[in-house]
Amino acid sequence: MQIPIGAEKEFSGVVDLLERKAWKFTEGDGPGIEEIPVPEELVELMETRRMELVENVVEVDDDLVDRFLEGEEIGVEDIRRACREATLLGHAVPVFCGSALQDKGVHPLLDGVVDYLPSPLDKEVLTGLDPKDEATEIQRHADASEPMSALCFKTIADPNGDLTFLRVYSGTLQRGDQVWNPRIRRKERVGRLMFMHAEKREAVDEVRAGNICAVVGLKQAITGDTVCDIANPVLLESISFPEPVISMSIEPASLGDRDKLADLLGRIQREDPSFKAATDAETEEQVISGMGELHLEIITTRIQRDHGIDVQVGAPRVAYRQTLAVEKDIEGKQIKQSGGSGQYAVVNIRFSPLPLDAEESYEFVDSTKGGVVPDVYIPAVRKGVAESMNSGGKLGWPFVGVQAELHFGKHHEVDSSELAFQLAAERAFREVSEGNFKLLEPVMRLNVQVPEEYIGDVIGDLNTRRVAIKEITMDGPLREIDGQVPIAEMFKYAGTLRGLTQGRGNFSMEPSGYQVVPSLVQEKLVKERLGT
């Protein structure tokens, strides 16, 4: 949609290909943007790129294709309409340029959002599920007269009451309404309704289908929750968040701030579902976990800068997992019979590892016959295995990717109980996992962009970090490296990359799953964990 005027430090404006206009970014008071003549050296490039743009987007309209092939000049409004249609069909994606450092390019970008992205009315039907029977689908339309349904997509902790941001998909929501939250199966009352304009808040009495608003008063709704009409409940598709992959300890510099810090971490968790805070049962340390080193650095900076709590943090720790190395059939027993009420349970469970890409991290199968383990005790066996997996045995890292098949067992008419079968299952898993484990480490998709002259040094450094490079491509003057890397190898990489490229390199990472730790690395990790 645009071409830039200047590059890097000299980036000063953009040329709008549709309007054939140039815009210069300004500093200080005022709108921050002003129209200027298109630089002479960019006129030819502008016409070339504009022709490419028109050639691509007219494909969505047969009439425009005919006019284009006949050499007719296509009007700006026709091109804009074709761009919107191409965007809605997924045929094309409008691309704008700018710099977040000084808000350069924000005005044209916002105009592009209005011109090209879909409005709520373009989504004709929204499909949700019936909370009482999740196999039944329910449809809602972007219509103010339909039953109200909305999705909580963000929560912000605020001293005057948490702000819950809602996207209203159907119906009308009014101040003071009672709404239903299907996740917790409870009613909540809407306090104040507001439209948010950056830091400015506009109080309103109602919001309608298609609106985005902030609500004060929803005490238990979290990001991803549905709120809906009590008489016509619906469960909208939630937002999925990956599990944290890195942890570090945190403690206040002053003991007097301990409760204040605990309360603040709880509020941050409500804001950011990819962040977790918990207390280590063994060391009693407060541990925070997130999606990467930078994620946790930003949170600790906010704690100190915005909330005035001085904290001390420990070195980052990777969220390792364990899985079983080989299949084994184990008999677990819990037998205590010494008069009076005893405990008696015997379970025979076949444990086997699941593939790393399995959808479920724990799969329980009951294949018993003849009532050797009564149905009432089956859930206790399932729970016992799950709790033992989560405890992580001697190493403390949770187990994942395990199938447990209960195929035989024994019970006693008087002394058997749910607790006895749970304990027997826990013993069975502890026994099967003793020495029969493989460590798994979180791996990240890695993208590194560096100027050509530094590619050799950067690749040499990546090779020392166990990076599996998939491809190296050209992106203008930059070389782009794509691959996978264990997150344990990427601590402090931002500083290293800056040093190798004189500050001109850039990288990004996102979670990609887990992989088996090499045997030599596993041996080292186990020794460190056990202190041997």
Side-chain angles (χ1 to χ4, degrees):
M1 307 305 298
Q2 304 168 333
I3 55 175
I5 301 175
E8 297 185 349
K9 291 188 298 182
E10 307 303 321
F11 176 53
S12 60
V14 295
V15 176
D16 185 316
L17 298 181
L18 259 64
E19 301 276 359
R20 291 189 172 100
K21 293 180 180 179
W23 301 94
K24 178 183 177 181
F25 306 128
T26 59
E27 298 180 9
D29 296 333
I33 189 170
E34 66 179 36
E35 185 178 351
I36 60 171
V38 177
E40 290 185 11
E41 66 274 15
L42 293 178
V43 171
E44 184 179 346
L45 178 63
M46 176 187 71
E47 293 298 336
T48 302
R49 292 286 184 259
R50 191 178 193 277
M51 181 63 71
E52 293 173 354
L53 166 66
V54 174
E55 185 177 355
N56 278 298
V57 299
V58 296
E59 294 177 7
V60 301
D61 187 313
D62 292 340
D63 178 58
L64 291 182
V65 171
D66 293 339
R67 289 165 57 189
F68 178 77
L69 293 176
E70 291 171 3
E72 181 181 335
E73 175 75 14
I74 309 296
V76 171
E77 289 306 315
D78 285 336
I79 299 174
R80 184 172 283 117
R81 177 176 51 80
C83 287
R84 176 178 172 78
E85 187 67 21
T87 303
L88 298 184
L89 293 173
H91 173 72
V93 178
V95 177
F96 293 76
C97 55
S99 169
L101 181 61
Q102 295 174 323
D103 296 335
K104 293 179 178 179
V106 170
H107 294 78
L109 174 64
L110 292 177
D111 289 340
V113 169
V114 174
D115 289 340
Y116 307 119
L117 296 189
S119 83
L121 298 178
D122 292 311
K123 177 89 173 170
E124 295 183 1
V125 178
L126 176 73
T127 302
L129 301 176
D130 185 341
K132 299 175 184 176
D133 177 12
E134 295 191 9
T136 303
E137 292 186 345
I138 295 177
Q139 291 188 340
R140 291 281 188 269
H141 299 81
D143 188 328
S145 64
E146 290 220 350
M148 196 282 295
S149 64
L151 183 71
C152 307
F153 66 87
K154 184 176 178 63
T155 304
I156 293 181
D158 189 277
N160 300 317
D162 289 358
L163 287 177
T164 304
F165 285 76
L166 299 181
R167 162 74 187 273
V168 182
Y169 282 96
S170 65
T172 302
L173 180 64
Q174 297 182 328
R175 185 179 61 180
D177 279 355
Q178 278 197 332
V179 295
W180 180 255
N181 185 330
R183 179 183 63 86
I184 58 175
R185 299 182 181 278
R186 288 186 182 177
K187 300 176 185 176
E188 291 209 68
R189 183 173 294 279
V190 173
R192 288 175 289 152
L193 288 173
M194 294 171 288
F195 288 143
M196 303 295 291
H197 308 283
E199 294 182 351
K200 297 180 181 179
R201 304 177 181 185
E202 177 190 351
V204 294
D205 291 327
E206 70 173 26
V207 290
R208 292 169 166 257
N211 287 149
I212 289 176
C213 67
V215 177
V216 177
L218 301 181
K219 301 186 186 314
Q220 300 184 69
I222 61 174
T223 302
D225 276 359
T226 299
V227 293
C228 56
D229 182 75
I230 297 174
N232 299 276
V234 64
L235 182 63
L236 304 180
E237 183 178 357
S238 186
I239 305 170
S240 60
F241 299 95
E243 286 296 311
V245 295
I246 191 170
S247 303
M248 62 172 61
S249 62
I250 185 171
E251 62 178 2
S254 169
L255 289 177
D257 287 334
R258 184 177 294 276
D259 291 342
K260 189 176 177 183
L261 176 62
D263 179 64
L264 177 58
L265 291 176
R267 282 191 283 151
I268 295 175
Q269 283 189 96
R270 293 200 299 276
E271 287 186 14
D272 181 359
S274 64
F275 170 78
K276 297 283 186 286
T279 301
D280 189 299
E282 295 182 3
T283 65
E284 296 187 356
E285 288 181 320
Q286 187 79 37
V287 177
I288 57 176
S289 306
M291 301 314 302
E293 194 175 10
L294 180 61
H295 186 193
L296 297 185
E297 282 182 9
I298 291 171
I299 286 174
T300 53
T301 299
R302 284 181 55 200
I303 291 171
Q304 297 182 98
R305 182 192 63 203
D306 299 342
H307 300 277
I309 303 176
D310 192 18
V311 295
Q312 299 171 342
V313 296
R317 293 181 292 181
V318 176
Y320 291 103
R321 296 288 184 264
Q322 301 181 77
T323 191
L324 297 179
V326 297
E327 178 182 309
K328 284 189 177 182
D329 200 325
I330 300 295
E331 182 177 77
K333 297 179 179 180
Q334 177 66 19
I335 300 176
K336 288 185 179 179
Q337 293 174 296
S338 55
S341 180
Q343 293 181 1
Y344 185 94
V346 178
V347 292
N348 294 81
I349 305 176
R350 187 177 296 108
F351 294 99
S352 55
L354 293 171
L356 289 181
D357 58 355
E359 291 187 6
E360 301 294 332
S361 63
Y362 170 42
E363 188 176 291
F364 181 82
V365 179
D366 173 25
S367 61
T368 56
K369 297 178 181 179
V372 291
V373 177
D375 290 346
V376 68
Y377 299 136
I378 300 297
V381 179
R382 178 199 295 266
K383 181 180 178 183
V385 174
E387 293 198 352
S388 193
M389 285 175 60
N390 289 333
S391 70
K394 291 181 179 179
L395 296 177
W397 289 312
F399 276 83
V400 295
V402 174
Q403 182 188 69
E405 182 189 358
L406 175 66
H407 61 90
F408 191 69
K410 298 178 183 177
H411 71 285
H412 189 278
E413 292 295 336
V414 176
D415 292 337
S416 286
S417 65
E418 291 184 9
L419 177 61
F421 274 95
Q422 180 177 328
L423 293 175
E426 289 180 9
R427 287 179 181 232
F429 188 80
R430 284 199 299 270
E431 183 176 342
V432 76
S433 62
E434 185 72 31
N436 178 31
F437 65 89
K438 291 188 293 188
L439 287 188
L440 304 175
E441 60 184 348
V443 291
M444 312 290 283
R445 289 191 192 93
L446 175 68
N447 177 271
V448 185
Q449 294 181 331
V450 297
E452 173 70 28
E453 59 263 38
Y454 305 113
I455 188 70
D457 291 339
V458 171
I459 289 178
D461 176 73
L462 291 178
N463 286 335
T464 68
R465 298 174 182 271
R466 295 195 282 134
V467 175
I469 296 176
K470 292 186 175 180
E471 63 176 348
I472 303 175
T473 56
M474 291 294 296
D475 183 11
L478 300 177
R479 296 292 289 270
E480 190 166 324
I481 306 165
D482 287 300
Q484 283 192 322
V485 60
I487 194 173
E489 302 290 345
M490 296 301 286
F491 294 147
K492 306 298 181 184
Y493 182 65
T496 300
L497 184 62
R498 282 196 297 267
L500 290 173
T501 62
Q502 298 184 19
R504 297 173 64 192
N506 186 35
F507 80 101
S508 62
M509 296 191 300
E510 62 180 79
S512 179
Y514 278 78
Q515 70 181 16
V516 177
V517 173
S519 56
L520 291 178
V521 177
Q522 173 170 315
E523 186 177 336
K524 178 184 175 183
L525 289 170
V526 170
K527 287 182 178 179
E528 290 176 353
R529 188 75 166 180
L530 298 178
T532 58

